[in-house]
Amino acid sequence: MRHCGELIIQGDAAGALKLVTERARSFWLDRDMGRKAQWEACRRIAELGLLATETRKALSSMAREAGAWLTAYTNEGGWYRMDQAQRRLEAFVASMDEDAEAERALALVRRAYEDTCAQMAEGFTEALRRAQWQLPGMLTQTAVYGALVGERPRPVAYFFVDALRYEMGLELAGRLPQALDLSVRAAVASLPTITQVGMAALLPGASASFDVVAQEGKLGARIDGAFLPDLTARQKFLAARVPGSKDFALDKLLRMTASKLAQQLEGATLVAVRSQDIDRAGEEGATLTARQTMDTVIDNLARAVRKLAAAGVEHFVISADHGHHFAAEPKDESMRIEAPGGDTVELHRRCWAGRGGTTPPGCVRVTGADLGYATDLDFVFPSGAGVFRAGGDLAFHHGGPSLQELLVPVLAFRMEPRRATARAEKGLVSASGLPSEITNRIFSVVLEVGGTNLNLLPESGLLVRPLMMSGDRIVGEAGMAFGAELDRATGCVRLPQQGTVTVGLLLKDDTVEKLRVVVQDPKTDAVLFQSADLPVRLGI
């Protein structure tokens, strides 16, 4: 372990990753969950270190055209993988009951990631400035409704997910194996990348008429003369524009019974599903808790899709208002920038909107007219990874023009409606080794295929998805596996026809009082195993 950490510190993340892979199935690691977790953390540190190094090297030879930066970030094998690796690493470390032993390597890799993000932001912002803030040929956020939602057969489910980053959208796509005709595209969000702008840009009519304006001291979007500064205004606008539309918060939808949901959906033309979980977790400022809970949103979005499909909804579009940056540590003093001053309409960590004032060093000013808005407002953004001295969290932030903030995912697909809950053979999967109560965020369970129809299983074994659930919410998932490979993109493991697999489960929501371990068929959501409720008593 110490040697792996030293290899990373010396810049040989590839060598460290090779060593971690070789040690993955050692005798002791297969018997000690704590040691397995430490080596898993080391592997994730090495992966991020390797991707940060590769990305920095690519940045040094990037073309000047802004479109080339978008392609480099989003194409297969693109830079988004670095952000994905960072999110997965930080979520795993936050779920560990002990500090990572490779702490020096972790600190170095975190710094390398932050430095790479800063270099990427500076280069892309300069490319945007040269392009006069225009990106022709790219799908824009304001075109999403008209291009992908408006023409779909009714009813269509339209998800508005606050702060869902592009790489998170790709991971969500991996959690939807039942989806048909699935496409994932990147859309360019409207600047500034804040909620009242981005959420309005996803509404009908935005492709023909969209401005960011100030009215009565508030900043908001304007579509066809309607001023939309907040959620209430957007809800009224959508209801007026789309007769028969229904609105659900994600949590409320997940809690509804199948019969109640079917009743609520009767006559619906558009089902709007709203999630603020990612943004809320980040903005609350409890970085560790936010890291633990953010990834559960991806699973719960997938669960909501399947629930709507079971209620008869076939067509789906999922998008976001903006992405985000989420550092491991709050920005230090050297990264904080004095606000422009002047007639300030709105100030966030990553954007200023107003009139007059100054353009601080390390920032870029753009007029509303340059962004295509009929407004007298100017906007000022940090050109790198800095933040203004303003309210809001210093680790989680958005509002600026970086690739992580500006590119949002757009998932479009259909699901075969399922009117009844899928069922599976009773006893097909058995579980042993369950604790009587949950006292650690990481614990193990031993899974084994059982039942009477083993001969009907494929030779490759049974693909399953182990989860932790509290009520109707997913609060944890598999993070490690002994005796089988864990697909980290989908959270699935394949159980052999003979033998056992030990799965390390990661609790990602410390607030729950009880949970149950559930093993699902990932294609149908059929429950193959379910434990009784287990009390959660962390630290006991």
Side-chain angles (χ1 to χ4, degrees), residues 330-350:
K331 299 290 186 186
D332 60 34
E333 192 64 29
S334 65
M335 299 292 287
R336 304 186 198 187
I337 304 169
E338 294 298 333
D343 178 13
T344 300
V345 175
E346 191 139 344
L347 176 65
H348 293 256
R349 290 292 188 186
R350 292 278 295 163

Side-chain angles (χ1 to χ4, degrees), residues 221-367:
R222 185 173 61 204
I223 301 176
D224 286 345
F227 181 58
L228 308 171
D230 52 33
L231 172 61
T232 301
R234 294 192 298 271
Q235 287 175 309
K236 291 179 179 178
F237 181 86
L238 183 61
R241 281 299 190 100
V242 186
S245 62
K246 301 292 179 74
D247 181 276
F248 297 90
L250 178 63
D251 281 352
K252 180 180 178 182
L253 174 63
L254 291 174
R255 290 195 303 267
M256 293 179 71
T257 63
S259 58
K260 180 69 176 295
L261 179 60
Q263 181 183 352
Q264 292 282 319
L265 293 178
E266 189 172 345
T269 57
L270 183 143
V271 182
V273 181
R274 296 176 287 103
S275 167
Q276 293 179 285
D277 302 71
I278 299 171
D279 202 57
R280 185 186 300 117
E283 295 287 4
E284 285 176 352
T287 303
L288 183 68
T289 303
R291 279 295 183 199
Q292 292 171 335
T293 58
M294 268 189 182
D295 284 1
T296 65
V297 177
I298 297 174
D299 291 313
N300 286 317
L301 288 168
R303 183 170 175 79
V305 166
R306 291 189 287 266
K307 191 163 187 173
L308 287 169
V313 178
E314 183 176 355
H315 295 273
F316 294 81
V317 176
I318 301 174
S319 195
D321 54 349
H322 53 74
H324 67 267
H325 281 283
F326 197 177
E329 302 292 341
K331 299 290 186 186
D332 60 34
E333 192 64 29
S334 65
M335 299 292 287
R336 304 186 198 187
I337 304 169
E338 294 298 333
D343 178 13
T344 300
V345 175
E346 191 139 344
L347 176 65
H348 293 256
R349 290 292 188 186
R350 292 278 295 163
C351 69
W352 171 92
R355 305 172 187 90
T358 63
T359 304
C363 293
V364 59
R365 179 182 291 259
V366 56
T367 68

Side-chain angles (χ1 to χ4, degrees), residues 174-227:
R175 303 290 169 102
L176 296 168
Q178 315 96 319
L180 305 172
D181 305 325
L182 173 65
S183 68
V184 185
R185 300 172 64 183
V188 179
S190 300
L191 285 169
T193 49
I194 55 178
T195 299
Q196 64 262 47
V197 173
M199 287 297 185
L202 294 169
L203 293 174
S207 60
S209 167
F210 187 83
D211 300 299
V212 178
V213 299
Q215 190 168 309
E216 297 181 355
K218 292 183 178 180
L219 186 73
R222 185 173 61 204
I223 301 176
D224 286 345
F227 181 58

Side-chain angles (χ1 to χ4, degrees), residues 45 48-49 52 86 89-91 93-94 100 103-117 287-288 291 327-329:
I45 294 168
L48 178 55
Q86 186 255 4
L89 165 64
E90 296 298 347
V93 170
E103 57 181 346
R104 288 179 58 220
L106 176 59
L108 182 141
V109 165
R110 281 171 168 168
R111 173 52 58 192
Y113 172 76
E114 289 296 312
D115 290 346
T116 305
C117 285
T287 303
L288 183 68
R291 279 295 183 199
E329 302 292 341

